[in-house]
Amino acid sequence: MSYHLSFTADQSYMGHLQDCYQHILSQAPLKMALVVQGGGQRGIFTAGVLDAFLEAEFDPFQLYIGTSAGALNLSSYISRQLYFGRDFIVHYTLQDQFFNLYQYISQQKSLDLDWALSQVMPNGEMPLDFQQARAVLKYRQAFACATQRYTLKDRYLAMYQDDWFDVLKASCAIPILYNQLVRFNETDWLDGGISSAIPIREAWRQGADLVVVIRTEPIEHQTAPESPNFFTDWRDRLDMKVPWSLNNKAKEFRLSKLLSVSQHWDQWLRRRWVDVEAKPESMMVFTPTTPLSELNSPIIWMPHHAILQKLNEKKIKPEGMKQEIIKGESFKEMKRKSSEFFDILACYYQNNREINAFMLSPPKDLCVIQIAPEQSLQCRALLSQRADMDLDYMEGFTVGQYFIHGFQSILSEYSESCDDFCPKVKKDT
């Protein structure tokens, strides 16, 4: 039978531990997987959990899969570098070199993901231990989730190979915030969180019997989340760069207008999907050509190829916008980008619902244990405060210690055999 256990700092899981133990014993030996969600700076919680694991020398896993910031946190766990994830988030993601809100608004300067990730490469200021990681992976597998741009399908790229910098950048390439093209293996890539924010289904497809999930948001005990956080996470501290709301004078750009748009996006996402041909008269289709002043009705989604078809059929021309070059881009190019972005939104929301339902009702013979914050973290994905990071890190570390106390013995004993926790490697001289 399948089994699901939620694991948080409130220790409400205590009454269910015995049932979980019995399930593990009935299925042993187990192929165990560790799956790690992204979340930008909220990954400081994950760093705390993994540091607790490292301090206890706990690693019964044969498979690791991470998405976005989760892939980077997994990297330091696999390389056995205590406090690495915490130090990277604190020392690099808070720097203006990584992201500056004023420059983003006034100059459209995006995340400097290349600079940040270069610091963890062999020649960087804070390098990952590639030798140690490859020794650990001798009898194990590790993958980073990334999204193929044109299909919006999740793909799993091996970690710690020669193309590791490109793989990590692909997994972390957040649309809108990072506007550089990530292309390798003849494919364009986007952030893995779009197609699989929590890649538990891939762990199951690869034969995992037990999956430990570390997530950076509270556990949702329903299959339809009330408020998707793809945008709401940024609203209070981050402007949304919406191509059709920009004009040719960046100084006239107003954050308040964009926040208003994001509120309408919330309405749109909660409406989910409605057949545009069968929509009630009281509803409207929000397309990239809809003037902001008309956004006063419930919003539904239409895929971008359908939008373009409708525009061509009805010969609709955009209102309230100038067909001119804006920051080097024609209106046609802006329309293409904004239409593509709607597809990304829909893909994210649909996959988020499906993954949550999967975890709450796992397939037969799959055990799922979710490690999560008890409530929403203090940190945001970006623009967090150092004090909030410290609090979230300690919560993660504490929950990790609770998990070690409850599961170290039984999971280590009934895991499929694998190499030692920290195999010795011959260092280059």
Side-chain angles (χ1 to χ4, degrees), residues 405-424:
H405 179 75
F407 284 98
Q408 182 174 26
S409 178
I410 190 168
L411 293 188
S412 298
E413 182 176 355
Y414 292 102
S415 171
E416 289 182 353
S417 61
C418 60
D419 227 3
D420 294 334
F421 169 80
C422 193
K424 301 299 180 182

Side-chain angles (χ1 to χ4, degrees), residues 199-302:
I200 184 172
R201 292 178 292 188
E202 179 64 19
W204 175 64
R205 282 192 289 264
Q206 294 198 30
D209 304 300
L210 183 148
V211 180
V212 175
V213 175
I214 303 177
R215 55 189 301 164
T216 52
E217 56 191 7
I219 295 170
E220 297 161 349
H221 294 285
Q222 52 193 22
T223 58
E226 292 182 1
S227 180
N229 60 20
F230 194 76
F231 290 106
T232 54
D233 184 61
W234 320 98
R235 181 175 300 139
D236 294 337
R237 307 187 193 183
L238 180 66
D239 63 305
M240 301 306 302
K241 175 189 168 188
V242 187
W244 61 87
S245 70
L246 295 177
N247 56 37
N248 61 336
K249 295 183 179 179
K251 65 181 181 180
E252 296 178 4
F253 185 77
R254 290 294 181 265
L255 179 58
S256 59
K257 181 181 291 187
L258 297 183
L259 297 183
S260 176
V261 173
S262 72
Q263 291 169 353
H264 286 287
W265 277 341
D266 277 352
Q267 299 175 33
W268 164 63
L269 286 171
R270 291 192 186 99
R271 290 279 178 177
R272 302 180 192 139
W273 298 275
V274 180
D275 185 347
V276 70
E277 297 296 341
K279 70 182 181 69
E281 290 298 321
S282 61
M283 301 187 74
M284 65 174 291
V285 177
F286 180 25
T287 74
T289 61
T290 304
L292 295 178
S293 60
E294 295 182 11
L295 296 181
N296 54 9
S297 304
I299 300 166
I300 62 174
W301 172 71
M302 180 192 287

Side-chain angles (χ1 to χ4, degrees), residues 16-183:
H16 303 284
L17 282 183
Q18 196 61 40
D19 289 341
C20 189
Y21 292 162
Q22 291 299 320
H23 179 82
I24 292 171
L25 291 172
S26 68
Q27 301 294 321
L30 300 171
K31 179 177 181 179
M32 301 183 189
L34 178 61
V35 169
V36 181
Q37 184 180 19
Q41 290 172 342
R42 290 177 309 200
I44 198 81
F45 173 86
T46 301
V49 175
L50 293 178
D51 280 346
F53 286 8
L54 287 173
E55 278 201 353
E57 296 192 353
F58 172 73
D59 185 1
F61 308 106
Q62 295 82 50
L63 175 65
Y64 315 91
I65 307 179
T67 292
S68 194
L72 182 58
N73 268 317
L74 263 182
S75 301
S76 59
Y77 177 64
I78 295 169
S79 63
R80 307 306 192 222
Q81 289 172 272
L82 187 65
Y83 309 130
F84 184 100
R86 180 199 66 184
D87 291 347
F88 175 83
I89 293 172
V90 168
H91 296 313
Y92 290 102
T93 71
L94 289 177
Q95 291 194 36
D96 284 345
Q97 173 72 29
F98 179 63
F99 184 77
N100 181 287
L101 180 58
Y102 174 76
Q103 292 178 350
Y104 178 69
I105 294 174
S106 61
Q107 303 172 24
Q108 298 305 296
K109 182 180 178 181
S110 64
L111 285 173
D112 197 342
L113 193 58
D114 300 75
W115 168 78
L117 296 182
S118 68
Q119 308 307 317
V120 306
M121 293 297 116
N123 295 324
E125 294 180 354
M126 189 179 172
L128 289 163
D129 190 335
F130 275 62
Q131 281 187 291
Q132 180 66 64
R134 287 169 175 170
V136 169
L137 293 175
K138 185 175 182 180
Y139 300 109
R140 315 184 202 207
Q141 292 181 299
F143 300 93
C145 176
T147 303
Q148 285 187 321
R149 179 180 176 184
Y150 295 110
T151 65
L152 297 183
K153 299 295 184 183
D154 51 321
R155 294 292 181 262
Y156 297 88
L157 309 173
M159 295 169 61
Y160 280 112
Q161 304 300 307
D162 292 340
D163 60 355
W164 180 220
F165 178 80
D166 291 328
V167 167
L168 197 54
K169 186 164 65 170
S171 186
C172 298
I174 305 171
I176 301 297
L177 296 178
Y178 182 72
N179 58 20
Q180 304 300 312
L181 182 66
V182 180
R183 182 175 179 80

